[in-house]
Amino acid sequence: MDVTELVDPTDAQIRQWHDVLTADPSAAEVPSVEHTFALLLGANARQRLWAAPDAGGFAGVAALRLPGEPGADRPGEIDVQVRPAHRRRGLARRLLTAAARGLREDGRSSVIAQVSAGTAAVPFLESHGFTCVLTVRELRLRLADLPPGHVASLLAAPPAGYTLARWRGVVPDEHAGALARAKDAMADLVEYEGSPWDAHRVREMGELVAKRGDDLYTVAALRDGVIAGFTEMVVPSADPAHAAQYDTAVVPSHRGRRLGLWMKAAMLDWLTAERPEIEEIETDNSGDDPHMLAVNHTLGFHTEHETREYQATVTDLP
Ligand SMILES: CC(C)(COP(=O)(O)OP(=O)(O)OC[C@H]1O[C@@H](n2cnc3c(N)ncnc32)[C@H](O)[C@@H]1OP(=O)(O)O)[C@@H](O)C(=O)NCCC(=O)NCCS
């Protein structure tokens, strides 16, 4: 089966592409047809597209995004999909080979791919020079599954020398500066990027959530009245049954004292009383953060899905 490049894809070709993206009934998520059109036509970055035509449609497709200018010191981004009926016949390998040529022509030295753990993408990429550089786990806690008394038992022995503070909405003035410093404590986490926080920026963040109509809840651990750690939760107005964990951080000099678990248990205690309509809490964890993962598992969170980012050096590609 030949692999051909699609330059300026027609509407019919985009629909055929979409058919490949939606052909796998076991896929974690399938895009809408509008999303596929936007992806193939809109393109925030330059991209090249390849497909393997078969019986009036496509058996497999590959998209290569090329952010920045040619030769930019940034990885390309690849996505390969093959219809289930055409798998294990070397088609993805041929599509990857075409994309590897595209990467070389664009002067790129590396490429990344985002995939779901536990799928065929993992052995495919690992047998073609890719290594996993990042894992993100989506965790969920169903409040109905919490054993009675679980949260109370976690709150029963507070870390010595600390007190709790909590507020809804924008941070009170007396805590704004210390909250900014605690937010900067997240800078040592692998995934976290951004400019330093200050009191103005933490207030702005609270105002932004309020402007969307959502509710921001914060629980902080204080030592001598100053924030040593905090955890934030947002209850969206559009879907208050599903609360989302925002940032949690403990200032480095206060780590190792179970503050994370204590603050998060206090947040659960507060929200279950104040917002009984909440059914589930969702959070993301970096696979490189075993402490936060352990805290969340102790609270009762379960991993729902794991996304992995794979990277390869172009010289290792076929
Ligand atoms: C991952 C995917 C693209 C592979 O397509 P494919 O055409 O079946 O792959 P190939 O036939 O080219 O496989 C080449 C090699 O990869 C490895 N491989 C691919 N699928 C595998 C599987 N299910 N289990 C174990 N190894 C596998 C094998 O080494 C295989 O060689 P072999 O068949 O001689 O043993 C396809 O399963 C798919 O579309 N999955 C859903 C979308 C997705 O996850 N895409 C990845 C994003 S980059």
Side-chain angles (χ1 to χ4, degrees), residues 9 49 87 96 143 180 233 245:
L49 309 170
R87 290 185 187 166
L96 178 63
L143 295 181
M233 196 82 81
Q245 175 74 55

Side-chain angles (χ1 to χ4, degrees), residues 79-82 87-93 120-121 123-124 127-128:
D79 193 9
V80 183
Q81 301 251 356
V82 172
R87 290 185 187 166
R88 296 309 288 272
R89 298 184 198 166
L91 185 50
R93 182 181 173 85
F124 170 68
S127 62
H128 289 87

Side-chain angles (χ1 to χ4, degrees), residues 140-146 168 215-217 232-237 239-245 266-282 301:
R140 187 163 302 177
L141 173 65
R142 286 181 196 84
L143 295 181
D145 294 345
L146 273 177
R168 182 175 168 172
D215 283 322
L216 170 67
Y217 291 83
E232 296 168 333
M233 196 82 81
V234 167
V235 183
S237 58
D239 184 13
H242 295 96
Q245 175 74 55
M267 175 67 87
L268 272 183
D269 192 45
W270 184 20
L271 283 189
T272 45
E274 176 132 335
R275 302 295 297 260
E277 69 271 42
I278 298 175
E279 293 169 13
E280 291 184 339
I281 297 176
E282 282 146 27
F301 280 87

Side-chain angles (χ1 to χ4, degrees), residues 42-318:
N44 301 325
R46 290 179 304 117
Q47 66 181 354
R48 292 179 68 177
L49 309 170
W50 292 269
D54 174 67
F58 297 141
V61 296
L64 174 66
R65 279 173 288 285
L66 298 161
E69 295 303 309
D73 188 22
R74 289 169 70 178
E77 296 161 21
I78 191 169
D79 193 9
V80 183
Q81 301 251 356
V82 172
R83 280 181 185 276
H86 293 267
R87 290 185 187 166
R88 296 309 288 272
R89 298 184 198 166
L91 185 50
R93 182 181 173 85
R94 286 204 288 288
L95 288 159
L96 178 63
T97 305
R101 208 178 320 118
L103 284 158
R104 292 181 186 111
E105 286 165 3
D106 207 59
R108 304 285 163 151
S109 56
S110 66
V111 60
I112 55 173
Q114 311 260 7
V115 304
S116 294
T119 66
V122 169
F124 170 68
L125 292 175
E126 290 182 351
S127 62
H128 289 87
F130 285 79
T131 49
C132 180
V133 291
L134 184 74
T135 62
V136 175
R137 299 202 178 118
E138 286 166 31
L139 279 72
R140 187 163 302 177
L141 173 65
R142 286 181 196 84
L143 295 181
D145 294 345
L146 273 177
H150 181 57
V151 173
S153 71
L154 294 172
L155 289 170
Y162 293 87
T163 54
L164 286 172
R166 64 189 202 189
W167 59 88
R168 182 175 168 172
V170 177
V171 55
D173 286 349
E174 75 259 35
H175 293 313
L179 180 62
R181 284 191 293 282
K183 288 218 170 222
D184 276 333
M186 293 184 73
D188 62 342
L189 298 180
V190 179
E191 276 181 273
Y192 188 76
E193 290 171 358
S195 46
W197 287 86
D198 57 21
H200 174 68
R201 193 168 156 214
V202 290
R203 279 192 206 99
E204 232 177 30
M205 180 252 171
E207 283 159 7
L208 207 75
V209 174
K211 217 161 137 183
R212 293 200 313 247
D214 300 340
D215 283 322
L216 170 67
Y217 291 83
T218 306
V219 169
L222 309 183
R223 175 109 196 190
D224 302 325
V226 177
I227 291 180
F230 70 95
T231 185
E232 296 168 333
M233 196 82 81
V234 167
V235 183
S237 58
D239 184 13
H242 295 96
Q245 175 74 55
Y246 272 37
D247 291 346
T248 298
V250 174
V251 173
S253 57
H254 296 278
R255 289 185 188 165
R257 297 172 201 181
R258 297 173 71 83
L259 290 187
L261 186 58
W262 186 46
M263 296 186 302
K264 285 188 146 212
M267 175 67 87
L268 272 183
D269 192 45
W270 184 20
L271 283 189
T272 45
E274 176 132 335
R275 302 295 297 260
E277 69 271 42
I278 298 175
E279 293 169 13
E280 291 184 339
I281 297 176
E282 282 146 27
T283 186
D284 286 347
N285 263 169
S286 159
D288 296 333
D289 191 359
H291 301 300
M292 190 56 77
L293 207 54
V295 164
N296 283 329
H297 282 151
T298 305
L299 285 164
F301 280 87
H302 297 288
T303 301
E304 287 280 310
H305 184 240
E306 182 178 311
T307 308
R308 292 188 181 182
E309 188 172 298
Y310 275 88
Q311 186 156 13
T313 306
V314 171
T315 48
D316 290 338
L317 294 179

